[in-house]
Structures are given as C-alpha cells and as structure tokens.
Amino acid sequence: MNPGLALCHPYPFEKLAQLKQGIVVPNNKSAINLSIGEPAHETPAFIRDALFEHIKGLGTYPTTKGLLTLRQAIASWLCARFNLPLTSIDPETQVLPVSGTREALFSIAQCVVDASRAKGGLKPVVIMPNPFYQIYEGAALLAGAEPYFLNTTEASGYLPDFDSVPEAIWQRCQLIYICSPGNPSGSVLPQSEQEKLIKLAENYDFIIAFDECYSELYDDEDNPPVGLLQTAFGVGNTAFKRCLVFHSLSKRSNAPGLRSGFVAGDAEILKSYFLYRTYQGCAMPLPTQQASIRAWQDEGHVLENRKLYRAKFAAVIDVLGKVCDIHKPVAGFYLWLKTSIPDTDFAQNLFAKENVTVLPGSYLSRDFGGINPGQYHVRIALVAPLADCIEAAHRIKNFINTLT
Ligand SMILES: Cc1ncc(COP(=O)(O)O)c(C=O)c1O
C-alpha cells in the first residue's frame, strides 16, 4: 500500500456522522443540513438542455485535452473575468478541462511532487492553509510529501501569513495550495500577498495551485475577487510561470453533478500534467463539454446565483447578528462562525436541540504550531433554500441564547 494512506484522515463528514450518531432529535423540528458545501440552487435549464442536445456524444471517447471550442470558451471567460488582454491565454497550451476541481487538485500533486528530491533526508513539503479543503492534505500525503500548514486565524483576517514560514520550509517546498476565496472563511488573498507569493515561488522554485472555485460567488458586484493569473500578468509574469488556477462550474453554475472545471496557467507544467492526465484517464464526456461551453459563455445565471446568496447572507446575519459577532464574508457561501463553547459540542448540541447540522471547524483543520485554528468555529453553508436558512438562523439563535 501507498504509505501515505495510513496518514490520511477520515473525511470531515465521516467524523460528523459519528458525532451525530445515536442522538434523538426533536420530532417537531424538521432537519436542516447546513454542513456540506453542496450548491442546491437549481442548475440552469440551458445547461441541462445543452447536455441532452449533445447526448449522442456518449458514443465517442472524449480526449484528455478536450474540445478546442471548450478551451477557447474558458480562455475567453478567464480574459474577460480577470481583465486580461484577449490573447493572453492560449487555449492550446494554457488550459486543460478537468472533471471537477477535486480530482485535479488531488492529481496535480501526484504529477508535480518529486519525492526523490528530498532534502537532507527530509521529505518534500507541500504547503496549505489550515483550515483547508481536505483534498490538499491527502494529495500531499499520497504524493510522498509532508504537509506544512499555514494557520489562518481571526487575527490574520483568516488569511495565510507567508512571512511566518521558516526559510528551511520554503527550501523544501515544491507545491503550495491556496484557496482564495477561502473555504471556510470566504477571505480573499489580497493582490499584494499574491504578488509576494509569486515572488516566493520564483525564489524557491515551487508551484502555486490556486483554488479559485468560489471566485464567482462574491458579495460586491463592483469588486470581484482578484485572481492569480491577473496578478501574475500584472507583475510581468505573462507566461504565468509556476502559477496554476483551478476553476469549477459546481459553485458558479450550480452544477456540482456535471463534474466540470478547468486548470489554467503555466504551459510547461500543463504539458506534463496533460501527459499525466492521459494515464489518469479523467477525460470529460462530450455532452459535459458542450454543456460547459454554454455555462462559461453565460454570466446572467451567475449574477442571479450571487443574488440568491446575497439574500441568504443578509437574512441570516440579520437574525444571528443579534446574538453573536458575525461577519459577511467577501465571497463563498459559508458563514465561519465563532463559538463560545468547543465547536464539536456546539454542533452536537445544536443538532440535538434544534435538528440543524453544521460542521465543527476542527474537522477542517489540524493542530499546528500549538493551536488548532478551526476550533471554536463552525462552518455554516448557506446552501438550503432561503426559508430554511432563515428558519435555521432562528434555531441557531435560540440555541446560542441557551449558552449565555
Ligand atoms: C475549496 C474547494 N475546492 C475544490 C472543491 C471541489 O469542487 P468541484 O470538484 O465540485 O469542482 C470544493 C468543493 O467543495 C472546495 O470546497
């Protein structure tokens, strides 16, 4: 067996199922689940229609590289969204379709980490935020690397602090995962920090895997989250050296079951990653590619999607703001709520008393540097219908009132 497997943690939702096991919930309260980050707004009809229109494509093996028309649609979207000159992204060499970003975020580590390049008998390092999307950690472990965590706390604005990383860790670093906007906090890594990261990557020769899968769910229409390719281009790294961005239709277009996303950036890395992917075999089915083209070419439905989340945040914060210190995130669909009691107790008792499920923050994080930055937080995913989110907010408020 791959020795990294023994180091992989159970997934947060397995831990949550155990936490809830055997608990009898009040039978007069319907279940509201705000723990899982699965978008639940309806998938736009035009995306479903495109899938059916092209259903005959199931009769053909898709290629790993995907249709040129898909890569062109993606490149055009990237340029428009991130204020890049129209021809700055080459669909031939700088874009690859992926079957959702989850598999891509995992497989990129398997492709780029060179465990034989261990320094001083020590494993290569993959840096990631803490709390994090757990795939980053599993990917690092299974690639034979050692994860190094960047604690993101309230004091740091829930952002990683690159200055805190010891020189010896940068020396061993081959890959860094950054999630911006972040899961779970929704914080966006400012442009100046992105510039710093690009410089660090250049100095220490590592690759940046920048997970932007929440980048389209932002609050301020006039201020969309800045992306890594935009920053790279701005500092003259017009070939996006060492930079890869990961985007998905799951959250942007409410199509988590489509399994469609892309990776874009450094052509040299993507050339190797393309070779890797031909063996891995995650080619995107043709009907999915056609539906994805339509989705990337339309912004109207994304605007509507943002409106729905904005309404939910406003309503929920209106209720919860009366009993706790709560902030609207810049982006994403999570509330990262501080708790006055241990997060696991909060989640378990909230479930027992109010039949509302939220995710303990410590299930998304590790003890590192003497703290666990997920502790005393819960993640509340505003994915349920508006009425359910409001009902859940009232129940959470009632529950918080019992704690004081
Ligand atoms: C931070 C982050 N990255 C990536 C993903 C994967 O999304 P998908 O595989 O649907 O593109 C998720 C899903 O929840 C996520 O939260």
Side-chain angles (χ1 to χ4, degrees), residues 37 100-102 105 133 136 179 183 211 213-214 248 250-251 259 334:
T101 48
R102 181 181 179 134
L105 288 161
Y133 179 49
Y136 309 153
C179 187
N183 170 4
D211 181 353
C213 80
Y214 291 95
S248 172
S250 300
K251 329 281 181 192
R259 310 311 302 131
Y334 301 112

Side-chain angles (χ1 to χ4, degrees), residues 314-326 394 397 400-401:
V316 168
I317 289 174
D318 189 44
V319 176
L320 284 182
K322 296 187 172 75
V323 288
C324 56
D325 175 22
I326 193 161
H394 283 289
K397 181 178 147 201
I400 290 176
N401 277 332

Side-chain angles (χ1 to χ4, degrees), residues 107-124:
S107 61
I108 193 67
Q110 317 316 309
C111 171
V112 305
V113 170
D114 177 0
S116 71
R117 261 205 296 144
K119 287 205 173 134
L122 296 168
K123 288 180 181 178

Side-chain angles (χ1 to χ4, degrees), residues 270-299:
L270 288 181
K271 192 172 172 208
S272 301
Y273 187 43
F274 167 66
L275 177 65
Y276 182 92
R277 292 183 66 77
T278 55
Y279 288 92
Q280 189 197 4
C282 276
M284 188 186 287
L286 286 170
T288 308
Q289 292 193 49
Q290 294 289 356
S292 303
I293 292 173
R294 296 264 183 93
W296 290 116
Q297 287 174 338
D298 183 81
E299 284 303 316

Side-chain angles (χ1 to χ4, degrees), residues 11 13 36-39 98-105 132-136 179-184 211-214 246-251 255-257 259-262 333-334 379:
Y11 220 59
F13 300 104
I36 193 159
E38 179 177 44
V98 298
S99 298
T101 48
R102 181 181 179 134
E103 64 90 357
L105 288 161
F132 50 71
Y133 179 49
Q134 194 159 311
I135 297 301
Y136 309 153
C179 187
S180 176
N183 170 4
D211 181 353
E212 299 185 356
C213 80
Y214 291 95
F246 295 75
H247 278 270
S248 172
L249 289 176
S250 300
K251 329 281 181 192
R259 310 311 302 131
S260 177
F262 68 83
F333 51 48
Y334 301 112
R379 192 187 76 176

